[in-house]
């Protein structure tokens, strides 16, 4: 589907420059691209919660086998369905997923805000869309090589650095544009 | 107060469809509803910081009673007003509030972004408002049964799952709407 | 550069009140001020990741000196370039930066959303801009006295409380304005 050039309906009809119109509508191709990839990343982040729970339940099933084999990883007392399992916090598989999840929060959540306000500067459409795509795919790769199937470095650092650099680039663009409002 | 049907002033006067107008104004009932409940959730999250501090100070007062009874839970050296209290990280009450707070960050912050961009798809007003209400109340219940007064499962899982499912629903709506911008 | 009074181009030309126009454009001085300071805070948060990595690499260099002097602080197996270094999680310098980073997430990320939706209530321009400035500078001070060069209390509590109070103020303004949409 060819994307409309730039939100003609959302701008006042007096021929103002595009920046005067509303850039946060479905008629702005850049905003739509942001919507799609932000949605993908939100879903990915929420799946981390489920992945953590899955790792925890994997061991809950072990409670049915002899006591010595169980690992005890539920952080809250009320989560212990079997009272002879102690509360523990240091299961390596669970902690790995939790670190990956925390890393997501540290990087993706600021990116959401940064990319959203970057759209308001009315950037070049192709540049902006491709930045959103590359950053999002990089974070999906990051999760795969960190939490799902650990892969030797530097795969994780490269995936991590890609979104970081893109966010810094957007920050530079926005900051230069609004420097007079310091 | 009857809510205005849909932002007539914010749309250009040439009779465009509602999606062409600006949905992020106080004249859009859905946006107002989002504003109110997002504000409630932001305030709730910030109160978690204060609840953590409160749990910590509860023990600081104990420093006035004999040494053996004190619990030592301040993570930073400079927070130790009484130098004979050691730095410690594993007070169960403080850690419980911190886990609840982290769970808030993992779920509410992505929800903020997801719900905000969901508004841009101009959803059915009643559906959207009720989703905001149910999700927000569920998270307040989650905090109560997790951090304030621990309640046996599955109360917490139900509260947790409610916002999770609502966020996934919004994600599906937005993703389907913007799938051509992949 | 004198800021334009209030987005004349982005409002429909039929003389509606300012709230009817689009407040999320570069012609709204309040939004521009938000853009600049949000960008600064995003950059600051991302630098925390790099600061953590820097603290970790500081000790990686120590791996070149005798084994007894090394500290072992890499949380993931694949990060251990030198196999005789064990995985460890409790280096005090790294943990301090991580706590500061977590505190950033707990406070700055909700502030981003709160300040953004606060703009939609069309607040007094000078009040809003100064709130953004004070809150942002306070958080930069917070990072300096927490993670970079630890300073005795109450410096950190004051810096922490400043953004907290500003966020609560914005929350009160927005909640009162949208109370009828509960």
């Amino acid at each position: 589907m060819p994307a409309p050039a730039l939100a003609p309906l959302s701008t006042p009809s007096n021929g103002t420059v595009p920046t005067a119109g509303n850039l946060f509508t479905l008629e702005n191709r850049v905003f739509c691209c942001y919507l799609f990839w932000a949605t993908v990343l939100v879903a990915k982040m929420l799946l981390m919660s489920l992945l953590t729970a899955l790792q925890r339940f994997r061991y809950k099933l072990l409670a049915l086998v002899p006591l010595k084999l169980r690992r005890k990883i539920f952080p809250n007392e009320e989560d212990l369905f079997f009272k002879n399992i102690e509360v523990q916090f240091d299961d390596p598989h669970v902690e790995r997923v939790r670190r990956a999840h925390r890393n997501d929060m540290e990087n993706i959540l600021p990116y959401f805000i940064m990319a959203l306000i970057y759209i308001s500067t009315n950037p070049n459409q192709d540049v902006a869309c491709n930045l959103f795509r590359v950053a999002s795919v990089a974070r999906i790769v990051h999760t795969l090589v960190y939490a799902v199937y650990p892969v030797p470095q530097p795969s994780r650092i490269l995936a991590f650095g890609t979104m970081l650099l893109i966010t810094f680039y957007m920050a530079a663009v926005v900051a230069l544009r609004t420097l007079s409002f310091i």
Side-chain angles (χ1 to χ4, degrees), chain A:
Chain A
M1 166 186 167
L6 208 241
L9 286 176
S10 67
T11 56
S13 53
N14 52 3
T16 54
V17 290
T19 49
N22 183 7
L23 295 166
F24 298 106
T25 72
L26 292 185
E27 283 147 15
N28 182 0
R29 183 182 144 213
V30 175
F31 185 61
C32 287
C33 191
Y34 171 79
L35 287 191
F36 180 79
W37 288 105
T39 300
V40 169
L41 287 178
V42 164
K44 192 202 78 57
M45 284 188 73
L46 296 183
L47 287 175
M48 297 298 279
S49 290
L50 301 183
L51 188 58
T52 309
L54 199 77
Q55 292 277 17
R56 292 216 162 105
F57 269 91
R58 202 152 62 92
Y59 299 111
K60 203 171 242 179
L61 294 175
L62 283 177
L64 302 174
V65 303
L67 198 75
K68 294 247 174 83
L69 299 176
R70 292 175 209 166
R71 282 200 257 174
K72 321 108 182 182
I73 46 174
F74 288 83
N76 300 300
E77 283 292 340
E78 71 266 27
D79 292 339
L80 294 175
F81 289 38
F82 307 94
K83 291 303 177 195
N84 52 350
I85 307 183
E86 283 169 45
V87 175
Q88 188 183 328
F89 294 90
D90 51 3
D91 177 75
H93 299 89
V94 172
E95 290 307 307
R96 172 176 282 272
V97 176
R98 281 171 61 80
R99 285 198 303 277
H101 198 171
R102 178 174 162 146
N103 194 286
D104 275 2
M105 290 196 285
E106 290 173 355
N107 290 278
I108 298 181
L109 295 174
Y111 162 84
F112 281 152
I113 291 290
M114 197 66 242
L116 187 63
I117 64 185
Y118 170 67
I119 295 171
S120 73
T121 65
N122 199 15
N124 179 289
Q125 296 197 349
D126 291 328
V127 171
C129 287
N130 285 327
L131 287 180
F132 298 157
R133 286 164 187 147
V134 171
S136 305
V137 171
R139 282 310 295 196
I140 293 170
V141 170
H142 182 271
T143 298
L144 294 178
V145 302
Y146 197 168
V148 178
Y149 186 80
V151 165
Q153 296 279 21
S155 56
R156 203 178 84 222
I157 280 186
L158 289 178
F160 168 80
T162 303
M163 176 177 269
L164 197 73
L165 286 180
I166 287 174
T167 312
F168 273 125
Y169 168 77
M170 291 174 176
V173 169
V174 173
L176 288 175
R177 190 72 179 271
T178 57
L179 201 55
S180 57
F181 297 91
I182 193 167

